[in-house]
Amino acid sequence: MNNIEEILKKKKLTKEDLLILINTEKAEDIDRIYRKAYEVKLENIGNKVYYRGLIEIGNKCIKNCLYCGIRRENKKIEFFEMTREEILESAKWIYENGFASIALQAGERKDEDFVNFIEELLIDIKKISNNKLGVTLSLGEQTYETYKRWYDVGAHRYLLRIESSNKDIYNTLHPSDPLHNHDTRIECLMDLRKIGYQVGTGVMIGLPGQTTNDLVDDILFYEKMDIDMIGMGPYILHDDTPMGIKYKNEVISVEKRVELGLKMIALTRIYLKDVNIAATTALQGLDPMGREKGLKAGANILMPTATIEEHKAKYQLYNDKPGISDNARESKEYLDRSVKAVGDQIIYDDWGDSPHFRKKKMEEI
Ligand code: 5AD
Ligand code: SF4
């Protein structure tokens, strides 16, 4: 029996084990890791896939992350803001199509108008779905009070990526000013947990200067922070960003970034077992079969974009973001086919809470 097989038999892996697995190069060993991750998914979640209908509600952002296409200083962005009616119409479509949950995402804004807008919107979303539609927010760093206000009117999951658990890497991705602070982001994750949200985070994979040791530390960070949901994907260059220009010829190959992305999904599944893990759009951005491969490597969440047609192209976080010309219905049908081809089953009309979160709640009772 080889070393990989021995490691995969263990109940609890050590950091050294994770390092050996992530550094595995032989195709058959890598495949074995993916198969093990799929087995762990079957044991802990089943062959189930949950959809989150993703609505990108606006691309104005007060931040200036050096990698992101909708950063404040990208002068080429054409701004858009969905109206309340447009968002409600998308939410209704999602609800009527049996997706039990939506995710609202936007560039970061903290102004009072925005906070109120979201609060009122949440009340309306609950109304149009008889309180049934689950709501995940991905609206960046906010104050404790704002997070609480949104939670009190029905948001119950929040995604806030740490981008990298390594503070030095985080600092190379962001301008060095108080608005972009690694500690603040960790505090936000703790606030969200305290309020009662299911908390999601994630990292970018294949960043300049990032090692496999850093990536394994990211998985240990998820554990330490008791994270319920994980959304992570490969870093993709965007031509109109400082990092996109600086690293144009230096970033690791597309194939390697996809492989690392899949290995991260697989190792996170094997190590943390019962968390929700998304096969992200960025993975598909680099590999047309990326999401299917993600499901095979242990992911159980897909987030098809339901942003209305007119605005999709303006939400370009990175080059060639997939699906921007499909309408929501085409995306859904495409995904339905892919999920079945993998051997998974789409679960409709169920929020699909992270089993990790559900278990914690049970223990409290
Ligand atoms: N490549 C990959 N992911 C990106 N994101 C933003 N820009 C990029 C990029 N160039 C991701 C970040 C952010 C999320 C909204 O999108 O992880 O948290
Ligand atoms: Fe804004 Fe998020 Fe892009 Fe940073 S990653 S610029 S916070 S949208």
Side-chain angles (χ1 to χ4, degrees):
M1 201 187 313
N2 73 15
N3 202 6
I4 303 287
E5 212 51 59
E6 301 252 317
I7 292 173
L8 293 179
K9 272 204 182 143
K10 290 189 181 177
K11 269 213 154 56
K12 176 85 181 170
L13 273 55
T14 62
K15 177 170 179 186
E16 287 63 39
D17 295 331
L18 289 169
L19 270 171
I20 293 172
L21 295 179
I22 202 167
N23 288 325
T24 302
E25 297 279 357
K26 255 177 55 197
E28 61 183 86
D29 287 340
I30 297 176
D31 244 28
R32 179 68 193 97
I33 296 171
Y34 296 161
R35 270 185 284 122
K36 173 70 184 183
Y38 193 76
E39 280 166 31
V40 176
K41 165 167 124 176
L42 290 184
E43 278 160 28
N44 289 276
I45 312 229
N47 67 339
K48 296 178 188 158
V49 173
Y50 298 94
Y51 281 159
R52 314 274 180 246
L54 178 65
I55 314 177
E56 292 146 341
I57 62 174
N59 64 354
K60 273 200 192 107
C61 187
I62 57 166
K63 288 230 165 118
N64 224 354
C65 307
L66 302 173
Y67 49 86
C68 177
I70 64 169
R71 63 196 299 272
R72 191 179 70 218
E73 279 175 19
N74 180 6
K75 299 286 179 264
K76 293 191 188 163
I77 313 172
E78 194 189 331
F79 285 115
F80 80 92
E81 226 160 57
M82 279 175 82
T83 63
R84 178 172 162 149
E85 290 69 33
E86 287 170 334
I87 301 168
L88 288 174
E89 193 191 311
S90 296
K92 211 157 171 238
W93 184 89
I94 291 169
Y95 176 61
E96 284 166 357
N97 278 275
F99 294 65
S101 199
I102 59 168
L104 300 178
Q105 194 174 66
E108 191 170 300
R109 282 182 56 185
K110 299 177 201 278
D111 51 287
E112 194 52 29
D113 280 352
F114 182 74
V115 174
N116 290 337
F117 176 78
I118 298 296
E119 188 174 38
E120 285 160 23
L121 186 66
L122 288 166
I123 295 170
D124 285 347
I125 289 172
K126 289 284 162 182
K127 256 191 227 148
I128 59 156
S129 69
N130 294 323
N131 239 352
K132 287 208 182 106
L133 200 54
V135 184
T136 304
L137 298 180
S138 177
L139 303 171
E141 292 171 10
Q142 303 289 343
T143 61
Y144 184 94
E145 288 66 35
T146 298
Y147 285 146
K148 177 87 171 84
R149 273 172 65 186
W150 292 343
Y151 182 82
D152 287 343
V153 288
H156 62 120
R157 304 190 184 114
Y158 205 102
L159 296 173
L160 181 67
R161 289 190 178 180
I162 190 72
E163 314 298 357
S164 171
S165 63
N166 178 330
K167 201 181 205 166
D168 295 334
I169 295 183
Y170 186 92
N171 289 339
T172 66
L173 307 176
H174 299 96
S176 48
D177 61 32
L179 193 58
H180 302 81
N181 186 322
H182 198 245
D183 294 333
T184 307
R185 190 149 299 197
I186 294 176
E187 279 159 26
C188 284
L189 289 170
M190 295 198 294
D191 285 349
L192 290 163
R193 157 88 51 242
K194 209 189 291 166
I195 292 167
Y197 281 96
Q198 290 179 54
V199 181
T201 195
V203 297
M204 286 187 288
I205 298 161
L207 290 163
Q210 188 183 44
T211 63
T212 47
N213 188 65
D214 292 319
L215 289 170
V216 165
D217 281 343
D218 290 337
I219 299 177
L220 299 178
F221 173 86
Y222 302 152
E223 181 186 40
K224 189 175 106 201
M225 297 294 290
D226 200 10
I227 293 298
D228 305 299
M229 325 178 285
I230 288 146
M232 56 189 165
Y235 165 59
I236 305 178
L237 298 161
H238 186 296
D239 291 338
D240 303 319
T241 61
M243 277 178 61
I245 295 164
K246 185 166 176 201
Y247 295 107
K248 199 170 180 65
N249 301 312
E250 280 175 51
V251 84
I252 60 169
S253 74
V254 165
E255 293 72 24
K256 269 274 161 243
R257 268 178 285 154
V258 171
E259 184 184 299
L260 271 180
L262 293 171
K263 277 177 171 169
M264 280 295 282
I265 290 178
L267 296 188
T268 304
R269 172 62 67 211
I270 293 169
Y271 191 68
L272 295 180
K273 298 186 170 56
D274 58 0
V275 291
N276 275 348
I277 305 177
T280 54
T281 318
L283 200 55
Q284 191 204 356
L286 292 187
D287 180 338
M289 294 298 285
R291 282 193 293 205
E292 291 79 349
K293 290 181 185 171
L295 296 179
K296 272 291 188 202
N300 67 318
I301 302 286
L302 290 177
M303 301 177 72
T305 316
T307 307
I308 59 173
E309 198 66 12
E310 184 197 342
H311 299 315
K312 269 189 177 179
K314 299 171 203 153
Y315 204 83
Q316 282 283 46
L317 303 180
Y318 41 80
N319 291 344
D320 304 323
K321 194 167 164 227
I324 55 163
S325 59
D326 312 345
N327 64 32
R329 187 175 304 280
E330 277 169 9
S331 309
K332 180 174 179 256
E333 282 163 11
Y334 173 79
L335 278 174
D336 282 352
R337 280 197 300 277
S338 328
V339 171
K340 284 197 191 111
V342 168
D344 278 349
Q345 184 194 352
I346 305 149
I347 307 296
Y348 289 104
D349 300 316
D350 178 333
W351 277 11
D353 283 340
S354 140
H356 183 73
F357 184 80
R358 252 187 286 131
K359 278 182 214 158
K360 275 188 287 187
K361 284 272 139 202
M362 295 294 284
E363 278 159 20
E364 279 170 21
I365 296 168

